[in-house]
Amino acid sequence: MAPQHLPSTRVAPLGLLLGLLVTSCFTFCLSCRNSKDFALTNTEKNIHKESETKEAREEELDTEVLEVFQPTHEWQTLQPGQAVPAGSHVRMNLQTGAREVKLQQEDKFQTNMKGFKKGKRLDINTNTYTSQDLKDALAKFKEGAETENSKDEQARQATVKQLFRPIEELKKEFDELNVVLETDMQIMVRLINKFNSSSSSLEEKVAALFDLEYYVHQMDNAQDLLSFGGLQVVINGLNSTEPLVKEYAAFVLGAAFSSNPKVQVEAIEGGALQKLLVLLATEQPLSAKKKVLFALCSLLRHFPYAQQQFLKLGGLQVLRSLVQEKSAKVLAVRVVTLLYDLVTEKMFAEEEAELTQDSSPEKLQQYRQVQLLPGLREQGWCEITAQLLALPEHDAREKVLQTLGALLATCRDRYRQDLQLSRTLGSLQAEYQALASLELQEGEDEGYFRELLASINSLLKELR
């Protein structure tokens, strides 16, 4: 069926309606798109607009002359558009929200200094202090310092007084306790009187000598003993019938003689040497002979005159008898050591005289009068010393070897003729070679036994 065509009068309104509908849809879509674009671009436009406004304001501030606010030392409200000097103290008032400003503390001093530099007079009230006021203040300051120093000194003295007590107070208390402060001299006088008193018991006399030995170790005290006759009292004690009194009297004398020439001279004049030799030559307890020998050694060392008297009184014979006593073998090493000291002492005196080129020194003349080496040879000390080499103690052998070496120039021919000495030296050589090897294995650089072995080897070489 062929389509039927509408009349033109009806088609025109319908087309108009359809066009309006399409136009409305297109307008709606376009409005939606424009709203989105406007929303996105509006913010950017506002930002650009604000930045441009801020820059414009800054340019206006730069071009305009701002009003400078002059702060004081009190807080003041800062109005908008007002500038503040550099270094001012600015804060925000949290209650009002306004900015407040004031000068800092140092600004006043800086302002004054600026004024001073410009030649302005500082604001000082000259009538406040006068020169006299300043002098008085300075005097009071010094007086206060002195007062403080005096207080410190008083405090220090109070502390010292707490730690120490005055001697007068101590003496007073000692007097109340019947205690007397004595000097060493007074103590020695009291001890000598107690020892010399016939009413003192044996124990009291021995105790007095024992205490006296402690004091006479000092050189001055030993010489003070001479001033009131105490030394002679002790020397006379060697004649006592009590062995303990003899023993401790010799003990005191040995301590007083040691390195004290003045006391040694007084002792020789007081007959101490003779009394000591008598005690060594007679029957006495071994403990007493030990202390008597100690006193004899102290008297002879470094005193050539006493050595001369010792030889004249037969001292070498007394010592030989002492060494040969079976009960006195313990004294043999001490006797040998004494002889070694006397021989080497004379040798050193002669060497010293040669080095100093003194033609006739008094001390050397005294030593030359001591005929010790000839006396030792005549009294048979070459053989006696060689026999002592058989002692079992290493220390004793060391001292005997030293004495053999010191007597070598005088006793060489005697030593060579002594077959027992050669056998003894050979046996000791083998013994100390083994001991020296052990020292080397233990890593000792300087061994005791190697020194003894060297002395033995030296003697054997001299005797060949």
Side-chain angles (χ1 to χ4, degrees):
M1 182 175 197
Q4 297 178 3
H5 296 279
L6 294 175
S8 59
T9 55
R10 296 181 63 178
V11 172
L14 183 60
L16 180 60
L17 180 63
L18 182 60
L20 291 173
L21 180 61
V22 172
T23 303
S24 300
C25 292
F26 177 78
T27 304
F28 177 77
C29 293
L30 183 60
S31 64
C32 291
R33 182 177 180 182
N34 290 338
S35 64
K36 291 180 180 180
D37 293 339
F38 178 79
L40 294 175
T41 57
N42 188 30
T43 303
E44 295 177 358
K45 289 180 180 180
N46 290 337
I47 294 172
H48 289 300
K49 186 175 182 180
E50 289 180 1
S51 62
E52 291 174 358
T53 304
K54 184 177 181 180
E55 291 177 357
R57 288 179 180 176
E58 291 178 353
E59 289 177 358
E60 292 177 358
L61 291 176
D62 291 339
T63 55
E64 295 177 0
V65 178
L66 297 179
E67 179 185 357
V68 179
F69 182 79
Q70 298 297 331
T72 63
H73 291 284
E74 301 295 333
W75 289 107
Q76 298 182 29
T77 302
L78 184 65
Q79 300 299 327
Q82 289 182 331
V84 296
S88 301
H89 192 178
V90 181
R91 73 176 183 181
M92 176 68 74
N93 193 324
L94 298 179
Q95 295 179 354
T96 62
R99 290 193 304 166
E100 298 178 347
V101 63
K102 74 170 184 176
L103 288 174
Q104 293 187 4
Q105 295 297 330
E106 64 272 16
D107 289 345
K108 183 178 181 180
F109 174 75
Q110 293 176 356
T111 303
N112 291 335
M113 289 302 297
K114 291 179 181 179
F116 177 74
K117 291 180 180 179
K118 293 179 180 180
K120 296 180 180 179
R121 184 179 180 85
L122 296 179
D123 188 11
I124 299 177
N125 188 357
T126 56
N127 296 325
T128 303
Y129 298 105
T130 62
S131 60
Q132 186 61 37
D133 293 337
L134 295 176
K135 290 180 181 180
D136 294 340
L138 182 60
K140 291 181 180 180
F141 176 78
K142 291 182 178 180
E143 182 179 356
E146 291 177 357
T147 304
E148 292 181 359
N149 293 335
S150 61
K151 290 181 180 179
D152 295 340
E153 181 64 20
Q154 291 176 359
R156 188 188 67 80
Q157 291 179 1
T159 304
V160 172
K161 288 181 180 180
Q162 292 177 357
L163 297 176
F164 305 99
R165 301 171 63 186
I167 187 64
E168 293 77 10
E169 183 179 347
L170 293 175
K171 287 182 177 180
K172 183 178 180 181
E173 293 185 4
F174 286 151
D175 291 338
E176 294 176 355
L177 296 173
N178 294 326
V179 177
V180 180
L181 292 178
E182 296 177 301
T183 63
D184 289 354
M185 180 73 167
Q186 293 172 336
I187 293 173
M188 290 191 298
V189 171
R190 179 172 54 82
L191 293 175
I192 287 294
N193 291 334
K194 191 173 185 179
F195 168 72
N196 200 33
S197 175
S198 58
S199 61
S200 298
S201 63
L202 176 61
E203 291 75 10
E204 290 175 342
K205 291 184 177 182
V206 172
L209 290 174
F210 183 82
D211 293 340
L212 184 61
E213 187 271 340
Y214 169 78
Y215 288 97
V216 297
H217 271 291
Q218 298 183 22
M219 181 178 294
D220 294 339
N221 288 341
Q223 293 179 4
D224 289 339
L225 193 65
L226 304 175
S227 61
F228 60 91
L231 180 66
Q232 190 61 49
V233 173
V234 179
I235 292 174
N236 294 336
L238 297 175
N239 296 328
S240 175
T241 57
E242 296 291 342
L244 281 176
V245 174
K246 299 176 189 177
E247 178 181 345
Y248 282 93
F251 193 36
V252 173
L253 293 175
F257 295 159
S258 298
S259 303
N260 205 329
K262 186 175 181 180
V263 179
Q264 288 175 322
V265 171
E266 293 291 336
I268 287 292
E269 295 179 355
L273 179 59
Q274 295 90 327
K275 291 179 173 60
L276 293 173
L277 291 176
V278 169
L279 291 177
L280 290 176
T282 57
E283 189 69 24
Q284 301 292 337
L286 182 60
S287 59
K289 286 193 174 183
K290 286 181 179 179
K291 291 183 173 59
V292 171
L293 184 59
F294 163 64
L296 178 65
C297 295
S298 299
L299 181 60
L300 296 180
R301 285 192 175 98
H302 307 289
F303 191 13
Y305 178 75
Q307 296 173 18
Q308 296 177 35
Q309 299 302 313
F310 168 76
L311 294 177
K312 290 179 180 180
L313 295 173
L316 290 178
Q317 294 92 320
V318 173
L319 295 181
R320 183 182 63 184
S321 302
L322 183 64
V323 170
Q324 291 175 346
E325 292 180 6
K326 294 182 179 180
S327 61
K329 283 294 183 182
V330 68
L331 301 177
V333 177
R334 300 185 184 185
V335 172
V336 170
T337 303
L338 171 62
L339 297 179
Y340 171 79
D341 291 342
L342 296 180
V343 171
T344 54
E345 183 182 310
K346 180 178 180 180
M347 293 172 55
F348 291 153
E350 294 175 350
E351 292 177 359
E352 183 181 0
E354 292 179 0
L355 292 175
T356 56
Q357 296 180 355
D358 291 336
S359 57
S360 59
E362 181 179 356
K363 190 174 183 179
L364 180 60
Q365 292 297 327
Q366 293 179 0
Y367 276 114
R368 285 176 177 173
Q369 295 175 9
V370 179
Q371 301 299 318
L372 180 60
L373 289 175
L376 291 173
R377 182 182 175 90
E378 293 174 2
Q379 296 294 327
W381 280 98
C382 298
E383 293 78 11
I384 295 173
T385 307
Q387 294 171 4
L388 294 175
L389 194 59
L391 293 173
E393 296 84 7
H394 296 300
D395 183 65
R397 292 174 182 176
E398 179 186 11
K399 290 181 172 56
V400 172
L401 286 171
Q402 291 176 348
T403 307
L404 288 174
L407 299 177
L408 184 61
T410 302
C411 302
R412 188 187 302 272
D413 56 340
R414 301 283 182 91
Y415 291 163
R416 287 176 177 175
Q417 295 172 5
D418 193 344
L419 299 178
Q420 182 62 35
L421 176 61
S422 300
R423 287 192 292 268
T424 303
L425 287 174
S427 175
L428 292 178
Q429 185 183 38
E431 178 182 353
Y432 286 119
Q433 279 179 346
L435 294 174
S437 299
L438 289 176
E439 286 181 339
L440 289 174
Q441 293 176 4
E442 293 176 356
E444 296 183 10
D445 297 332
E446 296 180 358
Y448 173 74
F449 296 115
R450 273 179 283 175
E451 293 181 358
L452 292 180
L453 180 60
S455 299
I456 294 172
N457 292 335
S458 178
L459 275 174
L460 289 173
K461 183 179 179 180
E462 292 290 339
L463 297 179
R464 288 173 185 171

